[in-house]
Amino acid sequence: MSLNISSVNMNGKRLESTLISLKSVKKSFPSAGDGVAVLKGISFAIEPGERVSILGPGGCGKSTVLKIAVGLVEPDKSADGEIPVGAVTLGNVDMFRGEKPDIARVLRQVGMAFQQGALFDFMTVRENLLFAMENMTSLTPAEMEEVLKGLLTGVKLGHTENQFPYELSGGMQRRVGIARALATDPSIAIFDEPTAGLDPVTSTIILNMILELGGRGGEGGRTLLVATSNVEIAIRFARRVILINDGAVVADGPWQDLILKGSDWVRHFLGVRLIGLDLAYARGLNLPQQFLDAHWG
Ligand SMILES: Nc1ncnc2c1ncn2[C@@H]1O[C@H](COP(=O)(O)OP(=O)(O)O)[C@@H](O)[C@H]1O
Ligand SMILES: [Mg+2]
């Protein structure tokens, strides 16, 4: 007799087979002009514990995809005026047709660092983190204090606890956003453009912080998503890259495969941003040998 334990975690609880799922999601904004679709039918599924980069040029629809995934923006309705069944699910909760308490429950497991920081300007760094924990966890004040200290030390901002966001640099604000997204110990953590507008050194520091603090991947681990228009950040963050262009998924898979076997557009988009790099540095990115030979050979 064989026991199928693949879908059962250590506590014996069934894991939902797909954690984040979008099916043929379309979106147009009336204000964006006469029926121009910003998303033209986006589909992907992300398993629990996966680490995924959502990559694409600025304006391709990454932030809209993320906001739809967490229910902040409604996708377009179909001809019957309804959002199609199962268009967007988190866990097994339908984000636009599910029961409000179910949606609220699943959202408590999501931590998101928005592109524009979205810290509360009228709260100190400390208050920003405590606010998230007070509203989304059942931690005791002492436990909150411990998480707060640990995360702020992790993002090297222990000394800014009582400062207001406007007193911090852009990179520091971004780090507070990362700490706040993780403060609730979410099972899904999402970082939208965590390094946009930052210099390469600061970008690397931030990427490493997300990887270190985000931690515990794999089955039963935390699902980590980064949306970025920076190819190097995307491939350093995750093996799986979902590449979006002009509101559609144009490639989805291990980036080493995409860089060698993707369409002309995909290979060009990925390649052109990498071939200017120093060879020694490029080697450190684990680029496929065939790609190194072709461009540095
Ligand atoms: N609320 C909105 N109203 C009108 N247009 C929007 C809105 N949000 C996004 N857009 C448009 O949708 C497109 C995709 O935007 P976005 O998802 O922010 O792309 P990305 O995050 O990849 O840069 C852009 O052309 C943007 O101007
Ligand atoms: Mg964006």
Side-chain angles (χ1 to χ4, degrees), residues 152-174:
L152 287 182
T153 307
V155 296
K156 312 255 185 301
L157 285 177
H159 57 293
T160 67
E161 207 178 297
N162 294 312
Q163 287 185 271
F164 288 91
Y166 65 82
E167 298 178 280
L168 307 176
S169 71
M172 290 161 96
Q173 290 181 18
R174 222 60 81 78

Side-chain angles (χ1 to χ4, degrees), residues 29-32 38-39 56-65 67 115 192-193:
F29 292 104
S31 54
V38 162
L39 302 182
C60 73
K62 302 177 295 294
S63 295
T64 306
V65 164
K67 286 177 195 159
Q115 187 161 354
D192 194 4
E193 300 279 9

Side-chain angles (χ1 to χ4, degrees), residues 45-171:
I46 294 173
E47 301 298 319
E50 255 195 298
R51 207 159 79 202
V52 179
S53 292
I54 298 189
L55 173 67
C60 73
K62 302 177 295 294
S63 295
T64 306
V65 164
L66 295 180
K67 286 177 195 159
I68 288 177
V70 299
L72 287 174
V73 167
E74 279 200 352
D76 287 349
K77 299 178 167 69
S78 50
D80 61 3
E82 300 274 352
I83 294 170
V85 179
V88 182
T89 58
L90 283 193
N92 46 24
V93 176
D94 188 316
M95 293 304 287
F96 294 96
R97 304 179 63 120
E99 302 289 332
K100 289 233 155 56
D102 291 335
I103 293 171
R105 176 177 51 78
V106 78
L107 283 179
R108 274 197 294 277
Q109 300 181 40
V110 178
M112 185 148 170
F114 291 92
Q115 187 161 354
Q116 299 84 354
L119 299 171
F120 293 115
D121 294 325
F122 55 89
M123 291 184 188
T124 62
V125 167
R126 171 191 175 77
E127 288 162 351
N128 264 282
L129 266 70
L130 287 179
F131 182 82
M133 289 188 270
E134 281 160 4
N135 284 284
M136 290 170 64
T137 72
S138 44
L139 295 176
T140 65
E143 288 166 338
M144 287 185 202
E145 202 61 40
E146 198 178 320
V147 172
L148 177 87
K149 294 277 187 292
L151 278 171
L152 287 182
T153 307
V155 296
K156 312 255 185 301
L157 285 177
H159 57 293
T160 67
E161 207 178 297
N162 294 312
Q163 287 185 271
F164 288 91
Y166 65 82
E167 298 178 280
L168 307 176
S169 71

Side-chain angles (χ1 to χ4, degrees), residues 232-290:
E232 199 191 316
I233 293 291
I235 69 176
R236 285 165 70 188
F237 177 69
R239 197 170 119 77
R240 178 175 174 197
V241 168
I242 298 177
L243 182 52
I244 296 179
N245 185 36
D246 198 16
V249 173
V250 292
D252 179 355
W255 61 263
Q256 283 95 342
D257 291 350
L258 306 188
I259 217 168
L260 294 178
K261 296 178 234 156
S263 69
D264 287 352
W265 189 89
V266 169
R267 281 184 289 114
H268 184 258
F269 181 83
L270 295 171
V272 79
R273 285 158 178 82
L274 297 172
I275 54 183
L277 298 173
D278 171 69
L279 175 58
Y281 183 77
R283 281 194 203 289
L285 294 175
N286 288 319
L287 292 165
Q289 190 58 45
Q290 202 181 326

